[in-house]
Amino acid sequence: MVDRSGSDDLLRVGLFWPTSRTVFPTAYVCEQNPEALDLAAQQRLAVETEAAGFDFGVLADAYGTVSEESSRIGHHDPSIHAVLWAMALFSVTSRMGLISTMHPTFIDAIDLAQYGAQLDYVSNGRWGWNVTTGYRPDEPRLFGADGIADHDERYGIAEEAVVTVRRLWAEDRPQVEQRGTYVRLSGRLPGPGPATPGGPAMVNAGASDQGLRLAGRYCDYLFAPVVDHAHLERLDQRMREEAANAGRDSSAKVLAGVRCLLRDDPQEARDEWEVVKASMDASKELNVFAKTIAQGSKGAAYATNSGRGALQAERKEGALNPLVGTPETVAEELIELYHDHGYRGILVNTPYWTAGEMPRYGRMFARLQEAGVWQPISQRSSLW
Ligand SMILES: Cc1cc2nc3c(=O)[nH]c(=O)nc-3n(C[C@H](O)[C@H](O)[C@H](O)COP(=O)(O)O)c2cc1C
């Protein structure tokens, strides 16, 4: 596989895509946003996101719902399908990447390979796979299984699926014989193969030891709930060690998820963030959501980073704080994170995705470019 993430040392900034009307578990935030399945709104968001300068969007996905209350307020239900909707978003963009979440726990390796090859081909190499193992307790029952394979077994399935799918994606589309514990198949895929030599970009979202290992061995990015700068350093170090052990030329970039709110005036940004926080504090769902995720993950960081603690507006020393301010002040914070703390990947999680929200990021990217920490996709040798 061609290692793309190490091809330069510049910052990558992605958008944690609003796959539901809100990815913040609060009714207030939800009410501000368009309907999740409004095709025109989603395509408008894609156009604005690309024009602003974002490198890619990450489309999370899951089968089960979070809770009745979440579904009532539109949090993760209804939501757009990460594979099907990537096609719709690719059709109105030409530079930005899109990363779809697909679960090897539930999807057959041949389907994983086919979906990925088609999306990468059609988008001319702009597609990536977010390998997630799933954690919601009700999901396996949707597939007719009584119990979910346990955490470690799910990673066993994921690793076999990743290895097999990448063999199916090889440029000469070879005959593949796989007789593993979980994945068994024999044959070759019809065309098209992926547009990206060596196969599409790969991401793993997982915080456990097994999750880090999977990312380090096979992926371009580790999507992680980074708690503080010391944590980022440990994750980076781990990615380097795994890459060296696997004989890779470069290691996976850590993509740190961070909440972000931009306004033209700094006080306006702080005030609006207080409103978002207050609605989160009043939300019954925040803790239910945080608890579900924390129970499904063996990585302690996820529990720390998804609950109320992660919302604090007071600036905690050494922490990856929410980015709240003007495009220019937030750019300065990112420049500092890049130079002083080694951040190379940021996944922006924004409460609002109404028209006009994304263009502000254009000013942030202009400042990042001026400071030499980021370049537009068109001026880089590699999207990923
Ligand atoms: C940053 C991050 C994003 C995730 N996104 C998804 C997702 O979109 N869909 C999903 O089913 N699981 C998602 N997960 C859950 C993981 O796929 C995984 O099942 C869970 O975290 C348990 O693995 P772990 O112990 O390695 O963390 C995510 C996990 C992390 C850390």
Side-chain angles (χ1 to χ4, degrees), residues 116-135:
Q118 294 267 331
L119 282 160
D120 197 58
Y121 182 85
V122 163
S123 66
N124 197 20
R126 295 190 285 135
W127 181 79
W129 175 16
N130 178 29
V131 183
T132 65
T133 54
Y135 61 92

Side-chain angles (χ1 to χ4, degrees), residues 16 59-63 101 103 130-136 139 151 154-155 204-212 223-225 293 296-299 302:
F16 188 69
L59 282 74
D61 209 349
Y63 292 93
T101 296
H103 300 69
N130 178 29
V131 183
T132 65
T133 54
Y135 61 92
R136 294 178 185 177
E139 286 178 331
H151 178 276
R154 292 201 296 274
Y155 272 107
N204 180 49
S208 64
D209 193 57
Q210 293 93 329
L212 301 186
F223 174 24
I293 298 172
S297 173
K298 277 197 183 173
Y302 211 2

Side-chain angles (χ1 to χ4, degrees), residues 97 135 137 148 261 298 317:
Y135 61 92
I148 192 165
L261 182 69
K298 277 197 183 173
E317 197 55 39

Side-chain angles (χ1 to χ4, degrees), residues 13-160:
V13 184
L15 177 68
F16 188 69
W17 204 265
T19 49
S20 63
R21 197 168 165 189
T22 178
V23 286
F24 283 53
T26 130
Y28 170 78
V29 171
C30 183
E31 282 154 15
Q32 316 304 311
N33 287 323
E35 295 291 339
L37 280 91
D38 179 338
L39 179 61
Q42 286 283 355
Q43 290 187 323
R44 185 263 308 147
L45 176 69
V47 169
E48 286 185 358
T49 302
E50 178 172 80
F54 278 91
D55 296 306
F56 48 77
V58 175
L59 282 74
D61 209 349
Y63 292 93
T65 53
V66 178
S67 69
E68 275 180 29
E69 178 62 10
S70 262
S71 296
R72 193 186 65 76
I73 66 173
H75 173 239
H76 287 280
D77 180 17
S79 55
I80 62 171
H81 191 281
V83 172
L84 299 175
W85 280 71
M87 218 34 125
L89 305 179
F90 278 137
S91 73
V92 292
T93 54
S94 60
R95 300 182 303 277
M96 177 177 81
L98 287 169
I99 296 166
S100 305
T101 296
M102 302 196 297
H103 300 69
T105 316
F106 306 122
I107 308 178
D108 209 71
I110 284 293
D111 286 330
L112 293 168
Q114 274 282 38
Y115 299 158
Q118 294 267 331
L119 282 160
D120 197 58
Y121 182 85
V122 163
S123 66
N124 197 20
R126 295 190 285 135
W127 181 79
W129 175 16
N130 178 29
V131 183
T132 65
T133 54
Y135 61 92
R136 294 178 185 177
D138 53 345
E139 286 178 331
R141 285 191 292 272
L142 288 167
F143 291 85
D146 287 337
I148 192 165
D150 78 5
H151 178 276
D152 297 359
E153 197 176 14
R154 292 201 296 274
Y155 272 107
I157 298 169
E159 181 160 7
E160 276 191 22

